[in-house]
Amino acid sequence: MAENTAEDGRAMPVAGGAGSDAATAGRGPVGPVAQLRALGVAEGEILLVHASLRGTGLRDAQVLDALRTALGPRGTLVTPAFTPENSDSSPAHLALVSRAPDPVAFRAAMAPFDPGRTPCPGMGRLAERVRTTPGAARSDHPQTSFAALGARAADLMAGHALDCHFGAASPLAKLVAAEARVLLINVGFEVCTAFHFAEYLVPSRPARAYRAVIRDEAGAATWFTYQDAALDDSDFARIGAAFPARHLRRGALGRGGALLFPVRAAVEHAAAWMTAHRL
């Protein structure tokens, strides 16, 4: 499954910070709010954002402030809050186990996923900033949760089934239905989570077993095993390269690039591409 990498410097205060357009208007470079509006981010929309801020010259709180300003009070910001470390077959988990003095004891001591507390270190500083901002909602999946802020945050994050990474019982399905858009900041299509939803639409899609640590009804940590789609992001860059340009809006954010496109168009394109090219 797609993972973001991080990134940039330490956080700054959010509202009215030094990175706001008001601080730079009329003297120096265009601020991030103006850049987002020039790109086409609209007030009131729902935006799924993947970001790596390294090299952009922007801090996570600065970007969050700009996104919330551009989206306005009726808008909703969504980010991945994935925890691949909580999977006994993911590269992130296997790397941790390989460094543990006692792998058996390490696995036995793994904390269960907690939507309110479990960090998402591999998703980047912006995603972690969204997750920890007061008022944020997070979906319940122990490996592929999302976090959101804004008017529809709680609704979009509710009902994420524990045995469904990115399919009909995930926030991605709601994002498609809501005509949300994706914003890639300084990253490519290889981390475009929307393409994973397309994997559920391909005929005869393969499945596999997953295991994660969750909290049982008594509050104890337990390994939860389930079957779901065999996720594969190895061809996402090629799928993105074939994405029709008419769906894409390109621009800048800070010193980095940004790409904006509809979730539905991305899913439909990816499903057609996978049906034609995946064996």
Side-chain angles (χ1 to χ4, degrees), residues 51-100:
S52 173
L53 303 185
R54 182 187 295 119
T56 65
L58 301 172
R59 296 187 175 98
D60 49 283
Q62 210 177 342
V63 175
L64 177 56
D65 185 26
L67 285 165
R68 297 183 79 177
T69 299
L71 291 171
R74 294 182 297 107
T76 305
L77 169 63
V78 182
T79 60
F82 307 157
T83 49
E85 303 83 5
N86 189 13
S87 166
D88 66 357
S89 59
S90 75
H93 174 83
L94 295 174
L96 290 174
V97 171
S98 70
R99 296 194 296 268

Side-chain angles (χ1 to χ4, degrees), residues 10-33:
R10 302 303 297 171
M12 292 177 62
V14 178
S20 68
D21 283 13
T24 57
R27 52 184 183 89
V30 173
V33 175

